[in-house]
Amino acid sequence: MHDHAVGALLGLAIGDALGMPTQSMSPAQIRAAYGVRPVGAFVDACPNQPIAPDMRAGSVTDDTEQALLLAEQLIDGDGELDIRQYAYALLNWEDDMRAKGSLDLLGPSTKRALEQFKAGVDVERTGILGTTNGGAMRACPIGIANRPDPHLAEIARRSTIVTHNTEQGLESTMLVAAAVSYGIEGSEPVEAMLMACNYVTAYLAMRKFEGHGVGHWSPKASVLARTRWAINWARAHTGDASPDLYDHDMFAEQLRAIIGTSVEANESVPAAFAIATRYADRPYDALVVAANLGGDTDTIAAMTGAILGAVHGADAFPETMARTVQEINVLDLASTADRLLALSDRRNI
């Protein structure tokens, strides 16, 4: 299980770094900046990259950094999460990034929520408009630290309160965490994702039956419903089901048209699950497709990588990329995985 936990963190970091130079760009802009061939290796961000101009090849973004920040919070809390302390940790991270001159700071929902937190708004209210994917992008450590049991759901819920306290924030965070957890438990890729959907469905039903909240309502579409649909859609265009119907570009074009690739959780999370479904046994190809989609490429690739890395283990990705992303960003993902696993009872199985 250690190998699969490391794989989840490596998939997160490699996907993030691969999508870093293309994030927030259109497919046409990506081709104009980096060439007609898909970005399939770590490359320096171009000077007009809208979020990370000239960032060094192999650098991770806020996706990995905030996921590891959450990992440290869970480790320091012996598996529990103090949401006020978590909010202060995010604020301190933003200050550190600003001091380094980075433009790659907080996403829109997280930034708005933390500004309200600093202004004295109750922490239970700061995240009630957060429908983007900030909670989901940080969810991988929750899936490593917890088996797919009620505690995973509770920690996922608590992790969304400060910044993404909405139905979309809760569903997306739980989906990614549960898919990672099922992957580490030994499920096959599509099985892990479908079981994650069932897990979230059951949890939400239980919460409603008990009269508890499941995140603040938003008129935006359900992440859970769209993700389940996206998995089934992608299965119809996978392997023997339709060997010649869609090539990589056609699949990406259709995904953009009917699912979307924005920072909204109800687009980016279903997109990641669809890619992980179609490329379930080709993790590297999955990350390349995600990195060249256009839109929130780094986050989509990071979530895709976390899920497929959890299923396939550390060997799912090229060894040179695994080594490079850790060296450039000074990461020790094996140690982090070990400490997260120690929070669960997995070692005693």
Side-chain angles (χ1 to χ4, degrees):
M1 286 189 174
H2 173 77
D3 177 66
H4 289 262
V6 174
L9 292 174
L10 276 174
L12 167 74
I14 292 172
D16 184 15
L18 196 60
M20 174 274 293
T22 63
Q23 60 183 314
S24 297
M25 299 173 74
S26 71
Q29 290 172 327
I30 293 170
R31 289 192 295 270
Y34 304 108
V36 296
R37 294 178 61 85
V39 175
F42 296 144
V43 298
D44 293 331
C46 62
N48 60 346
Q49 215 301 316
I51 295 179
D54 297 314
M55 185 173 281
R56 181 185 179 187
S59 298
V60 298
T61 76
D62 58 331
D63 298 73
T64 302
E65 292 185 358
Q66 290 187 33
L68 294 178
L69 180 153
L70 176 55
E72 291 300 325
Q73 292 290 303
L74 293 174
I75 292 165
D76 291 346
D78 196 27
E80 302 300 328
L81 184 65
D82 183 314
I83 58 176
R84 292 185 63 84
Q85 183 174 317
Y86 182 36
Y88 283 119
L90 286 169
L91 285 171
N92 291 336
W93 175 85
E94 183 186 28
D95 289 341
D96 289 344
M97 292 299 102
R98 186 178 289 110
K100 294 177 183 178
S102 175
L103 299 178
D104 189 23
L105 297 173
L106 300 170
S109 295
T110 301
K111 184 176 182 62
R112 178 176 56 240
L114 292 180
E115 286 174 349
Q116 291 188 329
F117 179 71
K118 286 192 292 185
V121 176
D122 189 291
V123 71
E124 297 282 346
R125 302 286 303 173
T126 54
I128 63 173
L129 299 178
T131 60
T132 53
N133 56 25
M137 78 181 193
R138 303 189 287 253
C140 177
I142 300 173
I144 298 172
N146 294 276
R147 303 189 70 184
D149 58 23
H151 192 256
L152 181 150
E154 176 58 20
I155 295 301
R157 185 189 70 82
R158 290 185 63 78
S159 78
T160 66
I161 290 174
V162 178
T163 59
H164 294 80
N165 192 7
T166 61
E167 293 176 351
Q168 289 79 8
L170 176 61
E171 290 174 5
S172 60
T173 303
M174 288 183 61
L175 280 167
V176 174
V180 167
S181 187
Y182 280 116
I184 291 174
E185 292 280 293
S187 298
E188 293 298 315
V190 178
E191 178 188 25
M193 290 182 280
L194 288 173
M195 290 174 70
C197 290
N198 293 338
Y199 174 90
V200 176
T201 300
Y203 173 79
L204 296 178
M206 179 194 71
R207 292 279 297 184
K208 290 177 180 178
F209 177 77
E210 294 176 347
H212 300 304
V214 290
H216 286 262
W217 181 84
S218 161
K220 297 177 181 178
S222 164
V223 179
L224 175 60
R226 284 173 59 84
T227 297
R228 192 184 295 276
W229 181 92
I231 293 170
N232 291 327
W233 171 77
R235 291 174 77 184
H237 305 294
T238 301
D240 294 336
S242 58
D244 301 313
L245 182 57
Y246 283 174
D247 61 15
H248 298 316
D249 290 339
M250 293 172 66
F251 176 78
E253 182 178 350
Q254 288 296 301
L255 189 151
R256 286 190 295 269
I258 63 179
I259 295 176
T261 61
S262 77
V263 298
E264 286 295 333
N266 62 17
E267 293 189 3
S268 51
V269 172
F273 276 64
I275 295 168
T277 297
R278 186 173 198 256
Y279 299 94
D281 296 319
R282 292 179 286 168
Y284 170 74
D285 288 346
L287 299 192
V288 173
V289 169
N292 289 274
L293 272 177
D296 199 8
T297 52
D298 57 329
T299 302
I300 293 172
M303 293 186 293
T304 303
I307 294 167
L308 293 181
V311 171
H312 293 289
D315 291 340
F317 309 105
E319 192 276 334
T320 54
M321 298 184 85
R323 183 175 64 252
T324 298
V325 78
Q326 293 188 89
E327 289 177 353
I328 287 177
N329 299 284
V330 195
L331 304 176
D332 184 357
L333 298 182
S335 174
T336 301
D338 214 31
R339 291 183 294 157
L340 287 170
L341 279 176
L343 299 176
S344 74
D345 63 351
R346 285 191 171 106
R347 290 184 177 275
N348 299 321
I349 296 175

